[in-house]
Amino acid sequence: MSSLPSTGADRPCPVCGGRASDHFADERINAEQISGLTYASRKPPEFMCLRLVRCTSCDLVYAPAPPAPAFLEEAYAEADFDSNPEALAAARSYAAALTPHLVELKGRHAAVDVGAGSGPLLPWLMAQGFSPVIGIEPSRAAIEAAPPDIQAMLREGMFSPEMLAGEQPSLICSFMTLEHVADPRSLADTAYRLLEDGGAFAVVVHDWRAPLNRLLGLRSPIIDIEHLQLFSPRSLLSLFERAGFASIRIQPIRNTYPLRYWLRLTPLPTPIKKAILRLLEKMGLADRTLALSVGNMLAFGIKLHN
């Protein structure tokens, strides 16, 4: 077992600032397992994690001693990318969940996708009438995997006000990203400041209290070395409220993926997964899509007029 480069002293809860916590999981890191996919999206589960605790105030599960920011920035910049089909499927799921809420927006100015990957959501945002559409993504490999017309909308780096200089967006999205950032409260606060009055912040995150995740326990794919925090409905509501958002909606969502990807996420031994995959491919079912509720949730909040 080997720890990653850390910031040193334990941090307080990154949502509410509380220090009272309960033990949630011990650190499980095998340096020999760390690879270019460790900090990549939609990878096969590695069943490694940082030491985790649960905030007794807001119910956030978080790593009190996360890796140093410089280590994380480099890890995401150098991460591999091999999930274009799954990324497109995920974007369709997020779009379906977000669509009913867009009627609440006053404008259709800039839309920003934080953690955009290869940009599969960006054409959909354009089709909804947003202009300009901007994707922010730290992984060079993900950006290089995007089609040329989508690459033009992607900006490489970590989310910051400087990345959006001159823009006052109508919508900022962050889908499956908040678990990965060192300071989710700062991201939410920054989104609030940048948004135009009447603009919205929308996120999708894992719900650690969802029945499936509780059932799988530490064998759930959400218990992962990448995840610096895991939200519940209560902690996600707290994040949005503390940032200043109003008319907050939190709801479970369904994800639609090919059967081969759902199989990849299971905690089954690799030989069994391979045998099942061969059977699915032989039957012509490996790429058949299936919509499931697997413990993910959408939060949507409005920045009221000042």
Side-chain angles (χ1 to χ4, degrees):
M1 302 293 256
S2 175
S3 296
L4 302 178
S6 175
T7 53
D10 282 4
R11 62 174 177 163
C13 172
V15 166
C16 73
R19 287 193 174 272
S21 63
D22 296 328
H23 172 269
F24 190 87
D26 293 324
E27 180 182 282
R28 293 181 299 163
I29 299 176
N30 184 344
E32 295 180 355
Q33 281 187 261
I34 295 176
S35 68
L37 286 174
T38 295
Y39 286 89
S41 61
R42 300 175 188 89
K43 63 184 181 183
E46 296 170 318
F47 303 112
M48 295 192 292
C49 71
L50 303 168
R51 176 169 64 93
L52 299 172
V53 299
R54 183 189 70 88
C55 175
T56 57
S57 177
C58 75
D59 204 39
L60 184 77
V61 168
Y62 68 97
F71 170 85
L72 290 173
E73 188 167 348
E74 181 179 359
Y76 283 112
E78 300 295 335
D80 292 342
F81 182 81
D82 69 346
S83 62
N84 255 330
E86 292 83 10
L88 181 59
R92 289 170 177 158
S93 296
Y94 304 151
L98 184 56
T99 295
H101 300 283
L102 294 185
V103 296
E104 299 183 42
L105 293 181
K106 302 297 183 184
R108 286 289 196 280
H109 302 122
V112 180
D113 185 13
V114 180
S118 58
L121 190 69
L122 304 186
W124 179 81
L125 290 170
M126 291 179 63
Q128 306 313 302
F130 293 101
S131 180
V133 169
I134 300 164
I136 296 177
E137 172 55 43
S139 168
R140 287 189 291 275
I143 293 173
E144 290 170 359
D149 58 327
I150 303 299
Q151 282 190 22
M153 294 185 276
L154 290 167
R155 300 180 183 181
E156 183 180 342
M158 306 295 277
F159 177 64
S160 68
E162 292 73 27
M163 296 285 286
L164 296 175
E167 300 291 350
Q168 194 170 23
S170 298
L171 176 67
I172 296 178
C173 304
S174 177
F175 296 146
M176 293 304 184
T177 300
L178 279 183
E179 292 95 339
H180 302 255
V181 300
D183 192 345
R185 175 70 184 276
S186 176
L187 192 154
D189 290 347
T190 299
Y192 186 88
R193 290 195 304 272
L194 291 175
L195 284 165
E196 66 183 5
D197 288 346
F201 183 43
V203 307
V204 169
V205 296
H206 302 290
D207 176 6
W208 74 263
R209 284 199 174 274
L212 180 59
N213 290 326
R214 298 303 298 275
L215 176 66
L216 292 175
L218 298 182
R219 297 292 287 177
S220 168
I222 75 170
I223 307 299
D224 187 82
I225 191 173
E226 283 191 278
H227 291 159
L228 309 185
Q229 48 272 326
L230 293 166
F231 291 85
S232 66
R234 181 153 65 97
S235 54
L236 190 56
L237 177 63
S238 179
L239 177 74
F240 270 61
E241 289 179 338
R242 290 171 186 275
F245 290 101
S247 302
I248 302 165
R249 316 281 177 82
I250 297 177
Q251 65 186 62
I253 70 167
R254 290 161 63 89
N255 290 80
T256 302
Y257 285 116
L259 289 177
R260 68 170 69 243
Y261 180 69
W262 287 127
L263 177 63
R264 186 194 306 175
L265 294 182
T266 65
L268 294 171
T270 299
I272 295 178
K273 287 185 184 183
K274 289 182 177 180
I276 295 174
L277 179 58
R278 286 194 297 268
L279 179 60
L280 290 174
E281 289 175 337
K282 185 176 181 179
M283 298 174 65
L285 298 176
D287 294 312
R288 181 74 59 86
T289 58
L290 179 66
L292 295 173
S293 295
V294 290
N296 297 328
M297 55 184 170
L298 169 79
F300 183 92
I302 298 288
K303 176 179 178 178
L304 295 181
H305 295 270
N306 292 326

